[in-house]
Amino acid sequence: MSWKIDRVEGAALDLDEVLGVYHASGLGERRPVQDRQRFAAMVENANLVLVARDDEGTLLGIVRAVSDFSYVTYVSDIAVVRDRQRSGIGRALIDATRGEAPDAKLVLLSAPAAVDYYPHIGFTRHESAWVLNRS
């Protein structure tokens, strides 16, 4: 089974379809999927959104990022439905993200379950990342 990667406007995506991918990927456990308004804003306000769809148009994966398209692209989320993980979709989404801003480095915070995945596709660990959570 094949897939196609496309850059899309987050606001044009069906929210329920995107939420389905977050739930089916496991990433929904660490994102505010229960708060539809906040989640919709997350998708709509990302300035770089790429999706992977199969030949029937089913959403299989998504990258949600913020980029200046010059120096850095912050990958907020990369989600691939569990039954299609380890099939190359995640790598293809990352490659397509790089292709949209080829001069920018990619930065992301890994989900605990994916920490061993990113070195496999060329990422290096950065020990000085910091997070200031909202109050």
Side-chain angles (χ1 to χ4, degrees), residues 21-55:
V21 169
Y22 275 71
H23 286 293
S25 70
L27 190 57
E29 298 166 10
R30 290 172 302 286
R31 296 297 183 269
V33 294
Q34 72 289 349
D35 185 342
R36 289 181 63 87
Q37 184 175 359
R38 184 172 183 206
F39 194 85
M42 289 166 50
V43 175
E44 292 169 8
N45 292 322
N47 72 338
L48 181 57
V49 179
L50 295 108
V51 297
R53 293 186 182 275
D54 68 14
D55 296 333

Side-chain angles (χ1 to χ4, degrees), residues 13 15 23 25 29 62 68-69 76 81 86 98 100 106:
L13 291 171
L15 185 61
H23 286 293
S25 70
E29 298 166 10
I62 185 169
D68 58 23
F69 299 97
S76 303
V81 296
R86 302 196 192 312
R98 289 187 78 187
E100 292 293 326
L106 294 184

Side-chain angles (χ1 to χ4, degrees), residues 22 25 27 31 61-64 75-80 89-91 93-94 97 108 117-118 121:
Y22 275 71
S25 70
L27 190 57
R31 296 297 183 269
I62 185 169
V63 165
R64 191 176 62 80
V75 178
S76 303
D77 295 330
I78 178 169
V80 176
I89 294 172
R91 180 187 294 263
L93 283 165
I94 290 294
T97 303
L108 61 79
Y117 170 72
Y118 294 105
I121 63 169

